Amino acid sequence: FLIISQIVFWQLAGAVTMLFGAVRNYLASRGSLNKQISVFIFIAIGVLGIGMNTGGVIGLIPVAASLIITVTSYVLRDVVKIRLSVMFNLLLWVIYSFVILDIITGITNSVALFINTVTLIRELRFRSLSKAQQPQI
């Protein structure tokens, strides 16, 4: 549905990056995202996203967001770093959505950003409590 909304708002770069992002996320969820596929998706998002950009500088936001999350989804393994990467990605999509007046997506991504923030805070608290309970040597 988000890909369709990008087409409705005539943001083809956003639609293309979401399409490749969906493939990337599916492969990552199955544990099938390897270096070669990540590089292919990165190049495809960059080339097609920039080539199909109809939104000027604003249209480059989803391309940048998708390029960043493609790299971080392959490289990062730490839960906190992954969460921060997702939050930064969501922030870029929130900004982009409100700028192109896709209010529903902007609100939805804002809620997701809020939930990720709360989850990150809980994770950091849990880590600090776990460290405090470990015996000091």
Side-chain angles (χ1 to χ4, degrees):
F1 289 113
L2 291 175
I3 293 170
I4 293 169
S5 76
Q6 294 299 298
I7 294 169
V8 168
F9 284 96
W10 198 242
Q11 299 297 316
L12 302 180
V16 167
T17 60
M18 284 185 178
L19 177 64
F20 280 99
V23 171
R24 176 199 61 231
N25 294 346
Y26 173 75
L27 293 173
S29 73
R30 295 182 42 117
S32 302
L33 186 64
N34 60 35
K35 185 177 182 178
Q36 292 80 11
I37 294 171
S38 295
V39 168
F40 172 78
I41 290 173
F42 183 89
I43 292 170
I45 288 172
V47 170
L48 294 173
I50 292 169
M52 298 180 80
N53 180 18
T54 57
V57 174
I58 299 305
L60 295 177
I61 293 174
V63 176
S66 296
L67 291 173
I68 291 167
I69 202 74
T70 298
V71 171
T72 59
S73 66
Y74 178 74
V75 173
L76 298 179
R77 296 293 173 245
D78 178 70
V79 173
V80 171
K81 291 177 182 175
I82 292 168
R83 177 93 41 215
L84 288 169
S85 172
V86 168
M87 291 169 60
F88 180 69
N89 185 272
L90 283 168
L91 178 63
L92 290 175
W93 281 101
V94 166
I95 292 167
Y96 170 73
S97 296
F98 284 122
V99 168
I100 68 165
L101 302 177
D102 184 357
I103 305 303
I104 301 301
T105 302
I107 291 169
T108 303
N109 284 336
S110 295
V111 170
L113 180 57
F114 175 76
I115 291 168
N116 273 274
T117 302
V118 170
T119 304
L120 176 62
I121 291 168
R122 287 183 178 170
E123 172 67 23
L124 292 173
R125 283 185 184 158
F126 175 77
R127 284 185 179 196
S128 67
L129 289 175
S130 294
K131 285 182 181 180
Q133 293 174 354
Q134 293 176 356
Q136 300 297 320
I137 299 176

